[in-house]
């Protein structure tokens, strides 16, 4: 039996899933650009948005940051999200940024299908992550991810445009928003161009913790 297609993202209280982009986002993780004011602003806001995850035991284990870390429901949700995922789909921009920031053992440990216009051979990383580059659209990338995932789920990893493209095409079964108690003021809004006329949402769970609130919805097509 095929699994579900889902996404899970952190979101600020004012509706942003990423800070306002810097003029040239290729410099975000360049060592010689870390004192650039735009890079410092982006990094500080992104860190605020994701701060809930950094202390978690699972986060530290998955990135090999050492022993220890917090347990509890936030940690359980992070681990459950990882364990249900048999393959991921992401956009080229997310891949380009992540390739600069991820450790050698990229944190997916499953096949990842990158939607791109660039032809490229698969890129295998230690630990089981293999990036495949798909040149003929999100539906073909999703078909390949489903086949690779088997009876596990496919996660649409991001970025926002790739998630929205799957959502508007009726390809998403459910999603989780982790609502962080921060205000960014500007940035990437996930739902700005959503086709609301085609989508109904069914609340499945609302799980508050001491840091964030996890909101999970099933997606129904109208």
């Amino acid at each position: 039996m095929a699994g579900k297609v889902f996404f899970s993202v952190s979101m600020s209280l004012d509706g942003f899933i990423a800070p306002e982009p810097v003029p040239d986002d290729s410099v975000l993780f360049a060592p010689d650009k870390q004192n650039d004011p735009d890079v410092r602003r982006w990094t500080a806001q992104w860190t605020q948005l994701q701060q809930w995850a950094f202390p978690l035991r699972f986060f530290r284990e998955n990135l090999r940051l050492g022993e220890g870390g917090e347990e509890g429901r936030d940690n359980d949700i992070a681990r459950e999200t990882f364990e249900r995922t048999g393959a991921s789909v992401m956009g080229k921009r997310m891949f380009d940024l992540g390739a600069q920031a991820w450790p050698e053992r990229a944190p997916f440990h499953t096949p990842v299908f990158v939607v791109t216009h660039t032809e490229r051979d698969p890129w295998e990383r230690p630990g089981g992550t293999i990036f495949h580059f798909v040149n003929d659209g999100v539906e073909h990338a999703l078909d390949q991810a489903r086949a690779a995932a088997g009876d596990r789920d496919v996660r649409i990893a991001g970025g926002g445009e790739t998630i929205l493209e799957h959502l508007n095409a009726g390809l998403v079964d459910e999603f989780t928003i982790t609502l962080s108690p921060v205000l960014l003021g500007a940035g990437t809004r996930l739902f700005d161009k959503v086709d609301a006329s085609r989508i109904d949402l069914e609340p499945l769970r609302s799980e508050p913790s001491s840091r964030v609130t996890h909101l999970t919805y099933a997606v129904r097509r109208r």
Side-chain angles (χ1 to χ4, degrees), residues 3-216:
K4 295 178 179 179
V5 177
F6 78 103
F7 67 84
S8 56
V9 294
S10 297
M11 181 180 286
S12 68
L13 284 177
D14 50 350
F16 299 103
I17 62 168
E20 188 174 24
V22 301
D24 178 7
D25 60 19
S26 68
V27 307
L28 280 175
F29 302 105
D32 61 337
K33 298 293 184 181
Q34 295 311 295
N35 288 324
D36 180 281
D38 287 326
V39 172
R40 293 180 66 180
R41 182 264 310 162
W42 189 95
T43 302
Q45 290 187 322
W46 183 86
T47 299
Q48 274 191 306
L49 186 62
Q50 306 293 344
Q51 186 64 47
W52 69 275
F54 298 150
L56 302 181
R57 175 183 288 273
F58 174 74
F59 182 88
R60 294 181 58 79
E61 288 175 354
N62 195 33
L63 290 179
R64 293 189 159 191
L65 298 177
E67 297 182 357
E70 296 182 6
E71 300 192 19
R73 190 57 188 141
D74 286 340
N75 188 67
D76 292 343
I77 288 173
R79 188 179 298 277
E80 289 163 6
T81 300
F82 175 83
E83 290 177 347
R84 70 184 284 193
T85 301
S88 298
V89 176
M90 70 175 58
K92 179 65 160 50
R93 180 172 179 269
M94 180 177 178
F95 170 78
D96 286 343
L97 291 177
Q100 300 177 59
W102 295 318
E104 185 180 16
R105 290 174 60 92
F108 302 96
H109 309 301
T110 57
V112 179
F113 295 85
V114 181
V115 182
T116 176
H117 297 295
T118 304
E119 292 189 6
R120 178 173 171 178
D121 291 334
W123 187 39
E124 185 170 357
R125 310 303 298 145
T129 301
I130 305 177
F131 294 98
H132 301 271
F133 301 90
V134 182
N135 308 120
D136 45 3
V138 296
E139 293 197 24
H140 287 92
L142 183 57
D143 286 344
Q144 293 181 52
R146 285 184 188 274
D151 59 359
R152 295 167 72 190
D153 296 339
V154 174
R155 182 181 183 185
I156 311 303
E161 289 185 6
T162 301
I163 290 173
L164 192 62
E165 191 171 358
H166 283 82
L167 188 60
N168 282 340
L171 300 173
V172 174
D173 298 308
E174 70 177 47
F175 64 84
T176 297
I177 300 293
T178 296
L179 202 58
S180 294
V182 299
L183 300 171
L184 298 186
T188 300
R189 288 189 186 274
L190 178 61
F191 296 117
D192 259 358
K193 296 180 181 178
V194 70
D195 187 354
S197 67
R198 301 181 60 194
I199 297 169
D200 277 326
L201 300 180
E202 176 189 342
L204 296 181
R205 292 180 299 279
S206 176
E207 300 184 75
S209 72
S210 60
R211 289 194 175 92
V212 292
T213 300
H214 304 276
L215 304 171
T216 302

